[in-house]
Amino acid sequence: MRALFVFLQPKETVTMLEMKWIRAHAEEVQAAADGKKIKINIRTLLDRDEERRALLQESEEGRRLRNTLSADIGRLMQAGNREQEKVLRAQVKQINEQLEQVEARLAPVQEEVTKLQWLVPNIVSPDTPNGLSDADNVELRRVGEVPTFEYNTKDHVELGELHDLIDIPRGVKIGGTRSYVLKGAGLLLHRAVQQLALDLLLKHGFTPMEVPLMVREDALVNTGFFPTGRDQVYELEGENKWLVGTSEVPLVSYYADEIVDVQEPVRLAAVSTCFRSEVGSGGRDVRGLYRVHQFAKVEQVILCAPDAEESERMLQEITGHAEELLQLLELPYRVVAVCTGDMSQKTYKQYDIETWMPSRGAYGETHSSSNLHDFQARRSNIRCLDAEGKLVYCHTLNNTAVASPRILIPLLENHQQEDGSIHIPAALRPYMGGAESLILPEQDEVK
């Protein structure tokens, strides 16, 4: 990795969107919050911030006056002027009492301002479509032909049971709902798609990393997953640690409180197990492997200069990597522009890639690409030097190179054959012992 960095002292104050900027763009920020369904009143934030600043000014003025009087008291003591010294000491006592009152009023106001600041969303790009949900996402392109079958097909659960690849009942017995077991060739496919994705990213100059999956709260706050996504994350009670739902969190946090050299974009990749509670998804996608609590993901993260054109190029690049993988897997897919109502607090611009899943008769989300501009970097205090040598916040981006076992759904379903066998794409065969297909036990016996 060529990136140079300098350690900084951790930030003492919140560095989300600057209050001055929010004040000048209040309507735009409120529109972003409304579009993303984040319950915050920007006017309330600005009013509380004015109150906070007034109290801070009052406190600072009191301290300045107290310091001046204290210096005067010292001179009076040297001069032996006890009467005047007594008068000034009484004034200092009164100022201290007033300061206590001001600080008692300031503490709850500061707490409210900070709480509201953490809820302020990133604004969205001008070309982000408006909408209420994923139903309003806008299709940009389709790649690959959706297969037509002249025979009765099976879904991935049936195929997994037929080939002894997937055991959901025993997974549920062990781990409860939304659990599963992959076995035999099922596990090999699970590992193969991950290694193919990692090898692809290595070819494109990414640095592979093994990262902590148990992280401290500030890592989730600073990367924009808290406070709005707290209900999706598993907490390790009493540890002040959480299990990550994506290695984006530790990859971005790797550079927290540092100055990074981004003359060339910093490209990072991690293969990790991920955990999500799926709160709010009750009754949705309950069959099979689409929505599970534990899964594996190959994540790509980029840090680059805070230039809108450059980070847009990086967004196209990482999206292209995910598309390249799907083409290697010989799967039909489409790319959609994600609308405001389907975006998270942190996202400036987002694409989703949806892969055709025959059992659903529709495309299902398998990948997501996001450009966050400097939203995460501000919260994480990740800075770089601009052309004039001034410290500025970097832009960050992320993309799912592949997530499994969800990708196994289209992989098994699209490649099933009339005789019950499953075609293995050529790109996966080196990771599957050279096998060209998964065949049923009775077919193996015949051969």
Side-chain angles (χ1 to χ4, degrees), residues 101-130:
Q101 294 174 7
V102 170
E103 289 170 0
R105 291 160 54 200
L106 176 60
V109 174
Q110 179 64 70
E111 183 179 353
E112 184 177 3
V113 168
T114 301
K115 183 179 179 180
L116 289 171
Q117 277 186 298
W118 284 124
L119 286 171
V120 174
N122 201 353
I123 59 171
V124 300
S125 68
D127 55 348
T128 291
N130 291 320

Side-chain angles (χ1 to χ4, degrees), residues 342-354:
D342 196 29
M343 293 174 76
S344 68
Q345 178 195 13
K346 60 192 175 76
T347 309
Y348 173 76
K349 182 176 179 178
Q350 180 178 340
Y351 296 135
D352 278 355
I353 302 178
E354 301 174 349

Side-chain angles (χ1 to χ4, degrees), residues 70-82 84-85 89:
S70 295
D72 291 342
I73 288 171
R75 287 191 289 270
L76 291 171
M77 287 175 64
Q78 290 179 349
N81 189 340
R82 301 301 180 188
Q84 189 61 28
E85 177 191 340
R89 285 189 181 278

Side-chain angles (χ1 to χ4, degrees), residues 46-110:
L46 297 178
D47 290 344
R48 293 295 178 271
D49 184 57
E50 286 184 5
E51 184 179 353
R52 179 188 66 86
R53 289 190 296 168
L55 289 169
L56 280 173
Q57 185 176 354
E58 187 176 347
S59 176
E60 290 167 2
E61 179 60 25
R63 292 174 187 278
R64 185 195 64 77
L65 181 56
R66 183 180 62 183
N67 291 341
T68 298
L69 292 175
S70 295
D72 291 342
I73 288 171
R75 287 191 289 270
L76 291 171
M77 287 175 64
Q78 290 179 349
N81 189 340
R82 301 301 180 188
E83 285 298 320
Q84 189 61 28
E85 177 191 340
K86 185 177 179 181
V87 171
L88 294 189
R89 285 189 181 278
Q91 291 180 16
V92 168
K93 181 180 179 181
Q94 184 180 14
I95 290 172
N96 283 334
E97 291 173 350
Q98 292 171 344
L99 282 173
E100 287 181 6
Q101 294 174 7
V102 170
E103 289 170 0
R105 291 160 54 200
L106 176 60
V109 174
Q110 179 64 70

Side-chain angles (χ1 to χ4, degrees), residues 17 42 76 123 160 186-188 191 207 218 251 272 298 350-351 372 381 388 420:
L17 294 179
I42 299 302
L76 291 171
I123 59 171
L187 173 64
L188 297 181
R191 297 288 296 272
T207 298
D218 60 355
L251 286 175
S272 70
V298 180
Q350 180 178 340
Y351 296 135
L372 285 73
N381 198 27
E388 299 175 355

